[in-house]
Amino acid sequence: MNKQSTAYTIIYIVLLVVVVGTALTATSLALRDRQNENIKADKMRQILASVNITAPEGTSVVDEFNKRIVEQYVVNSRGEKIDGVAFDIDVAKEVKLPAESRSLPVYVCSTDDGLKYILPAYGAGLWGPIWGYISLDSNGSKIYGAFFAHQGETPGLGAEIEKPAFRDEFKGLNLFKNGTFMPIAVVKAGQHPQNGADYVDGISGGTITSKGVGEMIDNCLSPYQTFLDQLSK
């Protein structure tokens, strides 16, 4: 066949695409298990970060997670345990459902300060999804710690939600006031919620992302109200 012909060029390109495509597919399949394990390990790292725990040097995050998370289960909006594996629940899908229809994961973590309950959250920022984990003291009322992450918020502005300076503002705040459940509010500096809820200052220049965090906390923690009330009692 004439190597200068159009037919030769087309056949060459087609064969090249087939060979390269096959190689990439084979590589992706070969690495899929490792990729999934890395995704799981990163999720474990984030969960532990909400209680300020990192895997000691020489220890894997998986080992530390299995050591620290002494129990995990799923509850419904009535605070009843239901079938399901907490780690496998897709929170991004659950938050789109009515509160009474959601499967709500709960992680029980052993810390140096006693048992803590960790609850996941998922919402929307300015440019994409935001998510996190909020840990509570054993009474289910006071926040022990928090972890937030994002997919594409603006560096120096909305992306600051992942920094300790913002996360640490949540420590010690209360979800119940005089027996009434009040999710933590995120407000503009100098303002405060009219309902008397505990609050943190939003990020300067990151108003929409800050608002997204507040809405995420409200949407994701409110369905746990009955469960948390049971813990407090």
Side-chain angles (χ1 to χ4, degrees), residues 49-171:
S50 71
V51 286
N52 199 33
I53 291 177
T54 57
E57 186 176 352
T59 303
S60 73
V61 67
V62 176
D63 290 340
E64 189 67 12
F65 181 87
N66 292 333
K67 171 186 173 183
R68 295 286 191 167
I69 302 300
V70 295
E71 189 177 8
Q72 54 176 295
Y73 47 84
V74 182
V75 299
N76 58 24
S77 62
R78 296 185 297 277
E80 303 163 337
K81 290 186 179 180
I82 59 176
D83 293 337
V85 179
F87 198 84
D88 294 340
I89 297 296
D90 188 341
V91 179
K93 291 182 179 179
E94 294 297 322
V95 296
K96 298 177 182 178
L97 301 174
E100 62 272 13
S101 301
R102 296 184 197 176
S103 296
L104 308 170
V106 177
Y107 302 91
V108 186
C109 183
S110 174
T111 75
D112 295 340
D113 296 323
L115 290 181
K116 309 301 173 185
Y117 291 84
I118 303 173
L119 312 178
Y122 190 93
L126 174 60
W127 302 113
I130 57 177
W131 63 92
Y133 296 91
I134 297 174
S135 60
L136 306 171
D137 281 336
S138 57
N139 62 8
S141 175
K142 183 176 291 187
I143 291 183
Y144 180 74
F147 171 87
F148 300 113
H150 64 90
Q151 180 172 293
E153 299 306 291
T154 307
L157 298 175
E160 295 297 300
I161 64 171
E162 66 182 6
K163 300 296 181 61
F166 178 72
R167 302 196 315 249
D168 289 349
E169 289 189 61
F170 289 82
K171 294 181 178 178

